[in-house]
Amino acid sequence: MVSNRFRSRTKRVAFTLVELLVVIAIIGVLVALLLPAVQAAREAARRSQCSNNFKQLGLAIHNHHDSKGYLPFREGMYPDPASYGGRKSGLIDLLQYMEQQPLYDQIMSPLTVGTTVFAPGGPEPWNGTYTPWQANIPGFYCPSDISRPTAGVKHTNYMFNCGDSIDLHTTNRISRGMFPRDLSNRQAKGFTMAEITDGLSNTIAMSERRRGNATVGVTLTGYQGGAWFTTPAACQSYYNRTTRTWSITAGAWSGVRWPDGGMGFGGLTTNAPPNSVSCAWNAHDAQPGLYPPSSQHPGGVMALMGDGSVRFISQTINCGNQNANGTALTGPSPFGVFGALGSKDGGEPTANN
């Protein structure tokens, strides 16, 4: 006969239901405590990568100026009259200065795709059959944004600063920012650094915009025919932040074609706070309008300054009078510190920046 003492020693030990629930609850609390720290660490890494991308773009811009004597255009033309010249992004011209020389050479040479022969400079930037436009260029993406596309013309998060105006973006070589449009003579020339009279360290060169996503209203650009708004506040009033919906038609343009220099695709303005919405005149994607920077980074956006430094700009930065007329601007910006950082020659005191 087995003694009680022996049975007690060999009795199987197990957790009770209450003990198991307590352990699960403790694990849940620990996960809840650790998750924000893990997410913050991941975002810090993404933000660091985004900053590094801007530093590489800054080097490319300066090398371009050193080599050619002028800055890249925001939207320009190429010399070969047989190619579609208009709306080419300055990102194309920067490829040769950011370890993408083979891609640049391919674009600047005749290229046969199937039975189609493309002239040097390439076709329209929306032509998805042209293989160079299908290139996913890692340095053009902020890792905090949506996943890269797998087909068609590829994307970018990084935009050229065109200043604090609403209406000066589509006039040849007239821009309040560092990068103009020039479709006048197929020279694809931008400004010189000497024309940045407010100082390179006081002027934004590039910043980021969230890429257009048809299911995310804040990433879209609202549009109507004509010059239907002249103040930032008027544009913003058409987007309901509570319901996250537009009361007018809106298009998913921002950054969805990296070779496209049209304002809706590759430009930005500093006349409205970071992470506010965009609007375009004339119901078209390459028109004057409001194109503030935006990002998935909590609280603001990354920006490349003209001197090559990178800053984080808070979405609460002073943006002046949002009911001020943003057309035909001259002199100091009416849009506060952010407007001043966007204008290349507004003459604002350095202390304001």
Side-chain angles (χ1 to χ4, degrees):
M1 181 176 179
V2 179
S3 68
N4 290 335
R5 186 179 64 176
F6 183 78
R7 282 200 300 265
S8 65
R9 288 180 178 176
T10 59
K11 184 178 180 181
R12 186 179 179 184
V13 178
F15 288 114
T16 66
L17 179 59
V18 172
E19 289 171 331
L20 185 60
L21 292 174
V22 169
V23 170
I24 292 173
I26 292 173
I27 293 173
V29 170
L30 292 175
V31 169
L33 291 173
L34 290 173
L35 188 58
V38 172
Q39 291 174 333
R42 288 177 176 174
E43 170 54 26
R46 291 190 290 262
R47 182 166 149 178
S48 177
Q49 180 60 53
C50 188
S51 176
N52 186 62
N53 289 343
F54 273 125
K55 289 176 182 177
Q56 298 306 311
L57 286 165
L59 287 172
I61 288 170
H62 278 254
N63 287 335
H64 183 289
H65 189 276
D66 290 345
S67 174
K68 298 188 176 183
Y70 54 85
L71 295 165
F73 52 88
R74 183 263 303 170
E75 177 187 7
M77 303 179 79
Y78 285 119
D80 193 323
S83 73
Y84 174 85
R87 284 185 58 166
K88 299 295 174 62
S89 170
L91 291 175
I92 298 170
D93 222 21
L94 290 181
L95 291 173
Q96 58 194 308
Y97 304 104
M98 49 189 309
E99 299 184 350
Q100 294 290 338
Q101 186 71 47
L103 180 59
Y104 178 80
D105 291 342
Q106 187 180 43
I107 294 169
M108 293 305 168
S109 303
L111 180 65
T112 300
V113 180
T115 59
T116 303
V117 179
F118 294 101
E124 307 88 344
W126 51 85
N127 189 327
T129 66
Y130 184 61
T131 51
W133 299 162
Q134 300 171 19
N136 255 326
I137 302 167
F140 288 173
Y141 289 94
C142 174
S144 291
D145 204 3
I146 56 177
S147 300
R148 303 175 191 177
T150 57
V153 180
K154 298 307 189 295
H155 295 183
T156 182
N157 283 104
Y158 302 133
M159 314 290 166
F160 292 101
N161 170 36
C162 299
D164 59 339
S165 73
I166 287 175
D167 64 332
L168 300 179
H169 317 314
T170 54
T171 302
N172 285 331
R173 290 192 62 78
I174 296 178
S175 173
R176 295 266 291 179
M178 281 184 61
F179 299 95
R181 169 188 192 254
D182 191 354
L183 304 182
S184 61
N185 57 11
R186 292 184 177 269
Q187 293 302 303
K189 289 185 178 181
F191 296 134
T192 66
M193 288 188 178
E195 293 177 87
I196 318 301
T197 57
D198 284 351
L200 294 173
S201 63
N202 298 319
T203 306
I204 293 173
M206 301 182 76
S207 188
E208 55 186 329
R209 293 179 67 200
R210 292 176 65 181
R211 286 176 279 134
N213 183 336
T215 64
V216 183
V218 74
T219 69
L220 307 183
T221 302
Y223 61 89
Q224 298 188 89
W228 55 278
F229 69 94
T230 58
T231 70
C235 158
Q236 304 287 331
S237 68
Y238 286 86
Y239 180 72
N240 187 319
R241 286 195 169 272
T242 301
T243 62
R244 301 179 182 179
T245 57
W246 286 88
S247 58
I248 56 175
T249 305
W253 302 335
S254 176
V256 300
R257 297 199 292 246
W258 75 263
D260 196 329
M263 280 300 297
F265 295 91
L268 66 87
T269 60
T270 61
N271 38 23
N275 291 326
S276 49
V277 294
S278 303
C279 298
W281 280 7
N282 302 321
H284 193 265
D285 54 23
Q287 296 295 312
L290 195 79
Y291 305 94
S294 59
S295 81
Q296 291 279 46
H297 306 305
V301 297
M302 304 296 296
L304 170 69
M305 307 305 292
D307 64 354
S309 62
V310 180
R311 300 185 190 177
F312 185 78
I313 297 181
S314 170
Q315 64 192 29
T316 61
I317 189 173
N318 182 300
C319 292
N321 180 8
Q322 290 292 285
N323 289 302
N325 190 326
T327 64
L329 292 179
T330 59
S333 176
F335 301 119
V337 174
F338 195 42
L341 288 172
S343 66
K344 75 180 189 305
D345 54 5
E348 299 91 353
T350 304
N352 288 344
N353 297 344

